[in-house]
Amino acid sequence: MSSRVKVEKQKRSGQPAEKQEGSQTFLYTRKRGYDITRDPHLNKGMAFSLEERQQLGIHGLLPPCVLSQDVQVLRVLRNYERQKCDLDRYILLMGLQDRNEKLFYKVLTSDIERFMPIVYTPTVGLACQQYGLAFRRPRGLFITIHDRGHISTLMQSWPENVIKAVVVTDGERILGLGDLGSYGMGIPVGKLALYTACGGVKPQECLPVMLDVGTDNEELLRDPLYIGLRHKRVRGKPYDDLLEEFMKAVTDRYGMNCLIQFEDFANANAFRLLNKYRDQYCTFNDDIQGTAAVAVAGLLAALRLTENKLSDHTVLFQGAGEAAMGIADLIVMAMKKEGTPTDVAIKKIWMVDSKGLIVKGRASLTHEKEQFAHPHEEMLKLEDVVKNIRPTVLIGVAAISGAFTEKIIKDMASFNDRPIIFALSNPTSKAECTAEQCYHLTEGRGIFASGSPFDPVTLPNGRTLYPGQGNNAYVFPGVALGVVACGVRYISDEIFLNTAEIIAQQVSDKHLEEGRLYPPLQTIQEVSIKLAVKIVEDAYKNNTASVFPEPENKEAFILSQIYSTDYDQFVVDSYSWPDEAMKIQTVNI
């Protein structure tokens, strides 16, 4: 289809249409006047030129001064600095996203390391807890258990006809905070903001979804500001029927290539839904697979410090939920790639849950836990398990603050020259230990990573270490960009192991010397592009891509998909003009 025909078709549908002319992008829209200034996809604030204001019918609706986007960024930053707490900063940025999308992403990408902790972990956890206060304007779709039988009709309420990525939650296990019901909508909104800021996925092609089936959180049910259904969670067949209808409704409207990312479902549903749908739809679970990829990436980088193979290590998990299982499965896959048999790899992984060490013969083990249950006496305390198992790698994913005690950290340092300690639980208040505790108690020998950001730590000898943040944002934006670009229909675990390897490769020797196990956050879009290019290359090589013809230059193909945060130039929709000559002239700019 030629660009002109494509533009004409989009214009007739009433959707904004873009057309590239050299380095300049022209945006066609049929909207006029007040509607332009209230549409976050189209609004440029005071950056509209005088010509655009006159042609779009907004002259007089704005002050006469024309401000450049750079000046607008400066104004946002000054307002941002005036805020008294991170929740206020979050609300300010979300308000900007509601008003002016291009400016919002321009601000985010201007200093992603500064703003990521605000729009996502850890501040998004606080924002979800306070969502009744932070809620200003609905974003995404709220689908309830009472909408069964009508979800396909409800999907028509969303104004965008092209959606390539959906992030969905039911709010039952938000970060380490538990059941937040409809307040959990902050997670899909935040994830998709990072799809764009870190991966360049176009925001208008993303859709956050909350599946509200109720909440078991009594405090929320009593909260007068609560925005969700006020009854206990619906489970069993009605719940499964809702999910089945939702998956079908999404793909009926947006196609089988539409990526559906599951986010913050409780353990009992997370594994089950992933196993049920992974071979039917283009889907993955970030808590299981995304967390696994970023954790294994950190381990692969750490191997350059321990100077051995992954299969030489013994790994102990504090926690045995979806994150732990996802990481463990990917570690096994990585060990197998080194040449270690599966059964040998599994024996190198131990887990501790709320009832203690997971061992053979212990009652009531789930299928997922059973595969990592080894012959051993039962032990209740993590301190005793660490001393007995003598792991080389300790990973915390149970959201138990302070679980890695001083004794545990010192014990890890006593039988390991370079103990690997990952405190991956979010938000910061749930971290198993701090970076300062790890570095000081191991006398600087600890190899540390966390789920939430920690400040640099200066040791008594004057050496400063920069703790690595195992942020899933290194994974899911790049995976999404690659998957949607070439139309991969089923996402394999190999994609996540490849992702872990690529992330680890971006860590330089200098980064490792500084304590970093991940590339600097400022480079995260470059990392995402590398991931996407690898996914596209493998997809065409393995015949799993569905977008044709196959692009010759895969990197150029990916770069052509990247969302631009620069303002577009508007061209008035010719169909509103009676003059036929003017209509032809406008279309052929």
Side-chain angles (χ1 to χ4, degrees):
M1 183 185 295
S2 71
S3 61
R4 172 173 174 172
V5 171
K6 183 177 180 182
V7 168
E8 290 296 318
K9 188 173 182 181
Q10 286 177 290
K11 288 167 69 179
R12 282 193 288 271
S13 72
Q15 298 296 313
E18 289 185 359
K19 184 177 180 182
Q20 195 76 28
E21 296 285 350
S23 61
Q24 176 69 57
T25 299
F26 294 92
L27 190 66
Y28 297 80
T29 178
R30 302 183 74 176
K31 286 190 175 181
R32 287 291 177 280
Y34 200 69
D35 290 342
I36 291 282
T37 64
R38 292 300 180 267
D39 188 329
H41 296 324
L42 304 177
N43 185 29
K44 294 162 58 172
M46 291 177 64
F48 285 106
S49 68
L50 177 59
E51 183 182 14
E52 286 174 324
R53 297 179 188 204
Q54 292 171 336
Q55 290 186 344
L56 295 170
I58 59 174
H59 187 55
L61 298 181
L62 297 169
C65 183
V66 176
L67 297 182
S68 71
Q69 193 177 29
D70 289 340
V71 173
Q72 289 178 313
V73 169
L74 178 62
R75 183 169 60 183
V76 172
L77 294 179
R78 287 193 178 175
N79 277 306
Y80 181 89
E81 289 160 0
R82 293 174 59 221
Q83 305 307 307
K84 296 180 180 179
C85 66
D86 284 346
L87 181 60
D88 288 345
R89 296 181 185 100
Y90 172 89
I91 292 172
L92 182 144
L93 290 176
M94 290 304 103
L96 178 61
Q97 187 181 21
D98 287 338
R99 297 191 310 275
N100 185 333
E101 207 164 54
K102 290 269 190 182
L103 184 58
F104 170 74
Y105 287 110
K106 176 68 82 172
V107 170
L108 253 60
T109 54
S110 70
D111 191 345
I112 193 69
E113 191 165 9
R114 179 185 186 185
F115 296 113
M116 187 186 292
I118 303 299
V119 299
Y120 200 60
T121 306
T123 307
V124 73
L126 175 62
C128 285
Q129 290 176 303
Q130 303 289 330
Y131 213 66
L133 292 173
F135 186 79
R136 295 291 186 274
R137 175 177 173 180
R139 296 191 67 83
L141 281 178
F142 291 81
I143 300 174
T144 77
I145 190 70
H146 307 304
D147 293 318
R148 280 180 302 155
H150 309 285
I151 296 179
S152 59
T153 303
L154 188 150
M155 294 292 299
Q156 299 299 320
S157 300
W158 192 247
E160 301 293 339
N161 292 324
V162 177
I163 292 294
K164 294 185 178 179
V166 171
V167 175
V168 58
T169 187
D170 69 355
E172 189 170 6
R173 194 204 62 83
I174 298 299
L175 301 176
L177 303 171
D179 186 350
L180 295 185
S182 232
Y183 278 2
M185 184 54 138
I187 296 296
V189 170
K191 286 278 184 181
L192 288 173
L194 296 188
Y195 263 48
T196 301
C198 302
V201 180
K202 295 172 183 171
Q204 66 269 27
E205 296 179 351
C206 297
L207 173 60
V209 175
M210 161 56 63
L211 297 179
D212 190 346
V213 298
T215 179
D216 292 336
N217 187 322
E218 293 289 347
E219 185 177 343
L220 291 184
L221 292 174
R222 295 191 299 269
D223 182 359
L225 300 179
Y226 184 56
I227 63 175
L229 294 178
R230 294 179 181 273
H231 58 64
K232 294 286 189 179
R233 282 188 172 270
V234 174
R235 304 187 186 275
K237 189 175 184 301
Y239 178 91
D240 288 349
D241 289 346
L242 177 75
L243 265 295
E244 188 72 29
E245 186 181 349
F246 166 73
M247 298 296 284
K248 187 174 186 304
V250 169
T251 49
D252 280 350
R253 181 167 190 204
Y254 298 120
M256 293 301 295
N257 288 358
C258 184
L259 170 63
I260 303 173
Q261 175 182 325
F262 284 89
E263 191 66 37
D264 286 354
F265 284 73
N267 292 347
N269 289 321
F271 292 110
R272 188 171 60 85
L273 295 174
L274 177 61
N275 292 331
K276 179 177 181 180
Y277 291 122
R278 66 188 306 168
D279 295 327
Q280 299 180 45
Y281 297 95
C282 177
T283 186
F284 73 98
N285 184 304
D286 186 56
D287 303 299
I288 298 173
Q289 296 161 292
T291 301
V294 78
V296 171
L299 291 177
L300 294 178
L303 295 180
R304 288 158 56 190
L305 295 172
T306 59
E307 298 181 340
N308 55 8
K309 298 191 302 181
L310 189 57
S311 49
D312 293 327
H313 288 268
T314 299
V315 183
L316 175 63
F317 285 89
Q318 164 64 19
E322 54 200 273
M325 292 300 170
I327 298 169
D329 286 339
L330 204 63
I331 288 175
V332 170
M333 184 181 294
M335 288 184 178
K336 285 171 62 180
K337 195 168 182 178
E338 290 179 341
T340 304
T342 302
D343 59 335
V344 175
I346 288 175
K347 289 177 182 177
K348 294 179 178 292
I349 297 173
W350 297 80
M351 293 192 176
V352 173
D353 64 7
S354 60
K355 298 177 182 177
L357 183 64
I358 294 175
V359 297
K360 284 287 186 188
R362 208 187 80 178
S364 304
L365 289 179
T366 63
H367 170 72
E368 288 81 16
K369 292 180 181 182
E370 185 68 47
Q371 65 176 324
F372 296 106
H374 310 307
H376 197 282
E377 63 177 305
E378 292 193 26
M379 306 183 81
L380 293 177
K381 293 185 177 179
L382 180 62
E383 287 184 353
D384 295 334
V385 175
V386 169
K387 194 168 184 179
N388 190 276
I389 300 297
R390 296 171 69 90
T392 57
V393 179
L394 181 61
I395 300 177
V397 282
I400 299 175
S401 177
F404 297 168
T405 62
E406 179 177 339
K407 184 178 187 307
I408 287 174
I409 297 172
K410 285 185 173 180
D411 282 346
M412 286 290 293
S414 70
F415 45 73
N416 292 298
D417 181 48
R418 300 299 307 268
I420 300 174
I421 299 174
F422 285 7
L424 298 182
S425 292
N426 287 315
T428 311
S429 61
K430 300 291 184 179
E432 287 77 12
C433 71
T434 66
E436 187 173 16
Q437 289 168 335
C438 176
Y439 290 138
H440 281 292
L441 293 173
T442 63
E443 299 175 335
R445 292 184 288 115
I447 301 173
F448 179 81
S450 59
S452 292
F454 281 101
D455 292 331
V457 176
T458 301
L459 300 175
N461 63 9
R463 182 186 176 201
T464 299
L465 295 171
Y466 298 83
Q469 185 191 355
N471 196 316
N472 288 22
Y474 284 109
V475 177
F476 63 81
V479 169
L481 178 62
V483 165
V484 302
C486 65
V488 173
R489 293 197 173 167
Y490 308 108
I491 302 175
S492 67
D493 283 332
E494 284 75 15
I495 284 179
F496 293 99
L497 183 54
N498 291 337
T499 292
E501 292 171 346
I502 291 172
I503 295 170
Q505 290 165 9
Q506 307 311 306
V507 182
S508 68
D509 291 340
K510 183 177 184 296
H511 294 149
L512 290 173
E513 289 173 10
E514 296 173 340
R516 304 179 194 268
L517 295 180
Y518 299 95
L521 280 173
Q522 303 98 291
T523 67
I524 197 164
Q525 191 168 95
E526 297 169 27
V527 175
S528 295
I529 289 170
K530 289 181 186 295
L531 295 180
V533 170
K534 174 64 173 172
I535 289 170
V536 170
E537 288 174 348
D538 289 347
Y540 285 106
K541 188 184 303 179
N542 302 330
N543 295 318
T544 56
S546 61
V547 172
F548 293 99
E550 176 182 349
E552 291 184 14
N553 187 326
K554 308 297 190 293
E555 183 175 2
F557 171 67
I558 288 296
L559 291 174
S560 72
Q561 312 290 312
I562 299 296
Y563 174 74
S564 172
T565 60
D566 295 331
Y567 287 140
D568 300 315
Q569 180 177 331
F570 280 85
V571 176
V572 172
D573 183 359
S574 55
Y575 293 107
S576 65
W577 290 358
D579 187 332
E580 188 69 19
M582 185 66 78
K583 177 165 66 175
I584 295 172
Q585 181 183 1
T586 305
V587 172
N588 284 298
I589 280 179

